[in-house]
Amino acid sequence: MADLEEFFRTLLANPRETKSRDNKGAMEWPAAKTEGRFDLLADIMAFSNARDGGTIMFGIENSTHAPVGLTQAQVSSFDKSNIFEAMKTYASPVPDFDLERCEIDNRWFVAIVVKEFRVIPTVCSRDAQIAVPGPPAKQKNVLRAGAVYVRTDGAQTIEINSEQLMRDLIELATRRRGEDLLRQIADLLPETMRGASKPPAVNPYASDIEAARRDLSL
Amino acid sequence: MSVQQQFDGHWFVTIQPLPRIDERIPLNDLLTRVQRAGVMLRGWDYPHIDNNTRNLDGAIENTTDWREYHERWRFSTSGFFAHRWRMREDGIPERVGTLDFINAIWSMTEIFVFSSRLYGEDPTVEQVTVSLELDGLRDRRLTSSPEYWINVRHLPTEDTFRREATLNRASLLADALVTPGRWAQALFHVMGAPGLTEETVRSHQQRLIERRFG
């Protein structure tokens, strides 16, 4: 589909990792009970808790941003229902996401497109541990029940560890709820009571607009 | 004249919070305010923020000049926001002289979503005027994809499309899709595709909001 190709092309043209974007190199969807798999689950939870969600793009080298692409075997290893089942085990509510594949200039890429949470933020619902070879052999916690994962401005996935991060998430949830409520109220109002207002008779920004027209030349 | 030289289209947007308060936003908070209100639903954010923000007298300005992305925006302490960008289609050789109808719907929608985030909860703002101008439209072909075929009857004879709306803050928050949807329909009418219904436009807006690209 043309929109999907455009979406991938834009992501490839602009490969910088951000609060809403993460790149992974050429890889398969990790096998069960590996740190890599749990890291990806944490990423998906964190993007679910971000404004506008986020995208994990597979086939782009992390350090160089080179679009290396994936082999057919790697592309085939990504299955939405498998990822959903894994998320269902560890996240509540389960994040909403799409799994997209696209061939661009003879290279295949995969993207997990995560949507922002709808009603309440995503919380990790179960501990996950992996075995760390010894001696002595031990277990390493990689996911924590009750943790809320978020993305930072530095493009990292972390567990909420500060008042500010918690307030930001609460504000996002509250704002979303408020907007939904406003829409419901707006639907109940007659057309005359909503929509357009009268602009001022004299535009107080007339000189700003003129300056912008003049200065913002390209 | 080459096709490249013939077509040089631009979008020009302003967002004007009312009443005007010259020092509504402290200078040091301007960039953060734009970052927090930014829309990142698809591969390119609105507005795009490059690492070259420069300080002006009572404002900041940011410029992007890269591949098909040529844009500049300014944000003032009064809260006035102005953004101009070159139609990306004119920066892609095989798409010069066209306007993708879905991208147009999505850009208009992003403008209003951004506006609602910028001022939706600012108690100093009673109303917001959003203005939009597209120039370079004459003889420009509205395009679609095979999946969303549209019937274009003629090329536009008018070079500029202008719209302006003033909304109170609650309407801006509640109806961020309505006004851009109507503007998109009006634009497509001018560009020879009057048959695009409100439902079609709304469905594409929802696709953007829900991040459904496949």
Side-chain angles (χ1 to χ4, degrees), chain B residues 129-148:
Chain B
T129 295
V130 180
S131 76
L132 168 71
E133 234 173 76
L134 272 76
D135 63 58
L137 291 179
R138 187 176 296 118
D139 296 331
R140 183 174 292 272
R141 179 168 296 280
L142 192 67
T143 58
S144 60
S145 61
E147 295 83 14
Y148 301 109

Side-chain angles (χ1 to χ4, degrees), chain B residues 12-104:
Chain B
F12 179 62
V13 169
T14 71
I15 305 173
Q16 308 160 36
L18 299 164
R20 181 185 176 121
I21 300 173
D22 283 343
E23 302 298 325
R24 169 177 274 120
I25 303 168
L27 205 53
N28 289 340
D29 290 351
L30 289 175
L31 184 59
T32 305
R33 189 89 173 232
V34 173
Q35 287 167 333
R36 290 180 72 92
V39 183
M40 286 155 285
L41 290 165
R42 45 175 172 160
W44 191 257
D45 45 350
Y46 184 89
H48 185 70
I49 303 174
D50 235 319
N51 295 329
N52 61 17
T53 305
R54 49 183 202 115
N55 297 328
L56 307 178
D57 184 11
I60 57 172
E61 201 167 278
N62 194 278
T63 304
T64 298
D65 270 313
W66 180 66
R67 294 176 53 138
E68 64 266 28
Y69 302 98
H70 301 279
E71 46 189 285
R72 184 172 288 174
W73 55 261
R74 173 184 291 177
F75 190 42
S76 308
T77 54
S78 62
F80 174 76
F81 178 83
H83 186 192
R84 190 155 191 261
W85 71 95
R86 191 170 184 234
M87 287 182 186
R88 283 164 206 145
E89 289 87 345
D90 289 344
I92 301 170
E94 61 271 23
R95 294 167 69 174
V96 172
T98 68
L99 183 74
D100 182 86
F101 93 101
I102 294 178
N103 272 329

